[in-house]
Amino acid sequence: MQKRKIFVTLRLQTFVERIMKIFTSAQLRELDRYTTEHERSTSLDLMERSARAVASVITSIWNPQTPVVVFAGPGNNGGDALAVARLLCEQSYAVKVYLFNIHNKLSDDCAANRRRLQEGKYASALIEVTMNFDPPQLTPDTLIVDGLFGTGLNKPLSGGFASLVKYINQSPARVVSIDIPSGLMAEDNTYNIRANIVRAHLTLTLQQKKLCMLLADNQPYLGQVRVLDIKLSDEYIRKTDTQYRIVEGEELKPMLRRRNEFAHKGDMGHAFIVAGSYGMAGAAILSAKACLRAGVGKVTVHTPRKNNDVLQVAAPEAVLHLDREDQFFTEPEGTEDYEAMAIGPGLGRAESTAIAMITQLRRATCPCVVDADALNMLSNHRAWMQQLPKEIIMTPHAAEFDRMLGSTSNGSYDRLSKARDMAERISAYIILKGRYSALCMPDGHVFFNPTGNAGMATAGSGDVLTGILVGLLARGYQQREAALLGMYLHGLAGDMAANDLGQESLIASDIIRYLPRAIRKLQE
């Protein structure tokens, strides 16, 4: 067992080194510097490279008959915008450039790109704003290129820049933001002024997504996000540790277990699921069927007696263990015969169930998944958090998490920070569900899941995830592996279902139906 743990640790270390990283704004600046130093190029060369990538996308979408208005700030984001404007002019676009130099202080590279415009044949396109600003007319045909402020912004916009942002947002024009919408900060927007952030239709972000782009309350400002690879230093990216990462399927593939040709069901693990009060048998059914589809050899469902008939019909492959009560879970069971346990889907919140739930968790001798009503009951008994087994997997959505830790009125970043701190404090794996579900690890790292879609915002989707997770644990995956694979496969199955059925009509059982295809796709 010790050798296997060492092997798993080494494999995961390799995985962590190779997975897509999310750098802070400070690390991004260092990445730029490192790239220019080791390429023996200049920051201006790098700016030109970025501008060419942005201009290439713009010219692939909008033709030269599109009137273009470029708003450039005094920093390097403004320098990018000036370079983009010059490149568009060279391709016969009608461009007007407004460079805001209110304090007569431009970054070196921004000043260099101003000179390139002034000294070239497109000087008439440039209007430098030092005091008064006469805003241009913005029509539905106009394309705005937003290059006012980039990832270095560390405070909300105010004054004239805030007024300009409001003018842009009130216009009917289309907006393309370079790297990040102006006014949005790269990480924490908890205390930002939302009215003073550009609402882009398309964000062309450089090299990698920024943390803010993975958080729900920033989506109204981003529009469609495209990542432009500008060939920054692979060496720096590889050797630099980050707290935040995005999971990629290619990196998960080596984790997948292969079945021994002579395997029998006893080799494939036995999962135990405590789920379903009377009237909520569907939660138990969805969890059990997802668990089976995840590859487990056997699943036992503990549920109230009145759920017997419907479970026997809907999930005939599952073994039933009936509670002595007709309608609620009240009877904790030993877990010595099981490789993994899940508890919570559809349990209800009766006090007798709450006591049985915490007793069941205290008795657990195997890896555990806690979801749904089990989380809600923990929120009513917060002192019980300290009694949870180490390395437990918890899968709250935003409302469930807020109930556990108290209301989070300060937005997604604050909630993510609390989830990360909680995972470290109680040594848990917390999957904060949503678009880009965030897996918070006991070691402080956070992994965002890129799969999944809005069609999965439907009753029972979380129960399916619980079943997948407990199935993977029972198969022998470590908690870290199960959590990473589980949330990725759950979202991938949802994406494949939505591709065939559409998001509007997607239901939880469709995710189960497409799970075998998702696993096969990841294997291939």
Side-chain angles (χ1 to χ4, degrees), residues 269-273 296 298 300 335 337-342 365-369 469-477:
H270 189 176
F272 183 55
I273 299 176
V296 76
K298 186 177 178 182
T300 293
T335 59
D337 295 333
Y338 309 105
E339 277 69 52
M341 179 186 81
T365 57
C366 58
C368 299
V369 182
L469 292 169
V470 72
L472 293 173
L473 287 172
R475 277 277 281 120
Y477 290 92

Side-chain angles (χ1 to χ4, degrees), residues 504-516:
E504 287 300 322
S505 299
L506 193 67
I507 59 175
S509 56
D510 294 327
I511 303 172
I512 300 172
R513 186 153 57 93
Y514 279 80
L515 182 58

Side-chain angles (χ1 to χ4, degrees), residues 149-460:
F149 294 96
T151 58
L153 189 70
N154 57 16
K155 62 181 179 180
L157 296 183
S158 59
F161 283 116
S163 298
L164 175 57
V165 166
K166 289 172 182 173
Y167 179 71
I168 292 171
N169 289 342
Q170 289 166 5
S171 80
R174 306 295 287 177
V175 181
V176 174
S177 287
I178 299 174
D179 205 19
I180 191 170
S182 293
L184 191 64
M185 288 176 257
E187 289 95 43
D188 184 2
N189 288 274
T190 301
Y191 300 105
N192 207 340
I193 300 172
R194 299 280 167 172
N196 298 347
I197 303 173
V198 166
R199 290 178 176 264
H201 298 93
L202 173 63
T203 298
L204 300 177
T205 197
L206 305 176
Q207 195 61 44
Q208 59 165 225
K209 287 185 177 180
K210 284 60 182 175
L211 178 61
C212 66
M213 297 174 182
L214 305 175
L215 304 179
D217 45 12
N218 298 325
Q219 297 312 302
Y221 311 102
L222 298 167
Q224 181 189 0
V225 178
R226 289 198 194 179
V227 180
L228 306 184
D229 184 3
I230 57 172
K231 308 300 181 185
L232 297 182
S233 172
D234 282 337
E235 182 183 2
Y236 180 91
I237 292 170
R238 187 173 60 254
K239 76 178 187 179
T240 303
D241 186 38
T242 58
Q243 189 168 39
Y244 302 101
R245 299 170 169 86
I246 298 178
V247 178
E248 291 185 299
E250 196 61 32
E251 311 305 336
L252 294 178
K253 183 177 177 179
M255 291 185 184
L256 288 172
R257 291 170 173 266
R258 301 289 176 175
R259 289 189 175 229
N260 186 305
E261 186 178 354
F262 293 93
H264 56 80
K265 67 181 180 182
D267 297 328
M268 296 295 103
H270 189 176
F272 183 55
I273 299 176
V274 182
S277 56
Y278 179 57
M280 293 291 289
I285 293 167
L286 290 168
S287 294
K289 294 181 82 168
C291 179
L292 288 160
R293 287 295 189 191
V296 76
K298 186 177 178 182
V299 60
T300 293
V301 180
H302 184 96
T303 196
R305 290 187 177 276
K306 282 193 173 182
N307 286 340
N308 178 76
D309 293 353
V310 65
L311 272 160
Q312 291 282 22
V313 173
E317 298 91 347
V319 176
L320 293 193
H321 192 288
L322 300 177
D323 200 279
R324 64 171 178 264
E325 292 294 326
D326 284 344
Q327 301 190 40
F328 298 104
F329 164 57
T330 62
E331 193 175 9
E333 297 294 329
T335 59
E336 293 79 8
D337 295 333
Y338 309 105
E339 277 69 52
M341 179 186 81
I343 186 166
L347 280 186
R349 304 186 199 180
E351 189 60 22
S352 59
T353 299
I355 294 169
M357 179 270 300
I358 191 59
T359 304
Q360 182 70 65
L361 285 170
R362 285 196 204 108
R363 289 184 182 178
T365 57
C366 58
C368 299
V369 182
V370 178
D371 183 34
D373 281 332
L375 297 172
N376 292 324
M377 288 183 279
L378 286 171
S379 69
N380 294 329
H381 302 274
R382 293 182 187 175
W384 290 354
M385 295 282 189
Q386 303 306 317
Q387 302 176 36
L388 297 177
K390 298 298 182 185
E391 298 196 315
I392 195 169
I393 298 177
M394 307 173 78
T395 60
H397 55 60
E400 288 168 342
F401 185 81
D402 289 352
R403 282 193 287 269
M404 282 197 299
L405 262 73
S407 178
T408 303
S409 58
N410 291 328
S412 299
Y413 183 86
D414 189 35
R415 183 179 296 113
L416 177 64
S417 298
K418 288 181 177 179
R420 188 188 65 225
D421 292 345
M422 180 180 172
E424 288 188 86
R425 188 176 65 255
I426 67 172
S427 190
Y429 293 85
I430 299 176
I431 300 176
L432 195 56
K433 294 184 293 193
R435 183 67 180 103
Y436 296 112
S437 291
L439 169 60
C440 301
M441 303 278 199
D443 63 5
H445 287 104
V446 178
F447 292 83
F448 289 96
N449 178 45
T451 62
N453 61 83
M456 298 172 70
T458 183

Side-chain angles (χ1 to χ4, degrees), residues 22-41:
I22 300 297
F23 290 129
T24 64
S25 53
Q27 288 175 318
L28 289 169
R29 288 192 295 273
E30 179 63 20
L31 173 57
D32 285 349
R33 186 195 63 77
Y34 189 95
T35 300
T36 55
E37 285 184 359
H38 287 73
E39 284 185 356
R40 297 186 180 179
S41 59

